[in-house]
Amino acid sequence: SDILGGAMTKVQLGYDLVRPLTDADASKVADVHSQYGIFQVHMTPAMDKLAVEYDASRLTEKDVEAVLQRFGLPIQRKWVVP
């Protein structure tokens, strides 16, 4: 459970990259951590995906994808996000 005593459900998603990450993308990855409900974002060992760990009691998979898109990360989208 979290600090406030509520239930928390950690989930990890993997997103394929449409191109390799640049130095500018690296700072965007760091900025994603400031988003409420996202715990961790990192490259997979093969360097071809982003792994995102988030609180599924606060965010849906579509919410996570929308955040990554909003920060301009080059992920292969799974959903149509407005």
Side-chain angles (χ1 to χ4, degrees), residues 35-38 54-64 67:
Q35 180 68 37
Y36 182 72
I38 294 185
Y54 71 101
D55 182 354
S57 67
R58 302 187 194 294
L59 299 171
T60 66
E61 185 173 347
K62 288 182 181 182
D63 293 332
V64 171
V67 168

Side-chain angles (χ1 to χ4, degrees), residues 8-55:
M8 181 172 34
T9 306
K10 284 188 179 181
V11 173
Q12 183 167 310
L13 296 173
Y15 285 93
D16 292 330
L17 296 174
V18 296
R19 62 169 172 75
L21 292 184
T22 64
D23 289 342
D25 292 327
S27 68
K28 293 174 187 174
V29 168
D31 291 342
V32 171
H33 290 101
S34 68
Q35 180 68 37
Y36 182 72
I38 294 185
F39 302 122
Q40 188 176 54
V41 181
H42 63 275
M43 292 290 299
T44 60
M47 304 295 282
D48 62 346
K49 294 180 190 253
L50 278 180
V52 181
E53 187 175 309
Y54 71 101
D55 182 354

Side-chain angles (χ1 to χ4, degrees), residues 62-78:
K62 288 182 181 182
D63 293 332
V64 171
E65 184 169 318
V67 168
L68 297 175
Q69 287 292 130
R70 190 169 66 244
F71 280 92
L73 293 169
I75 60 165
Q76 178 66 47
R77 291 170 55 166
K78 299 178 184 181

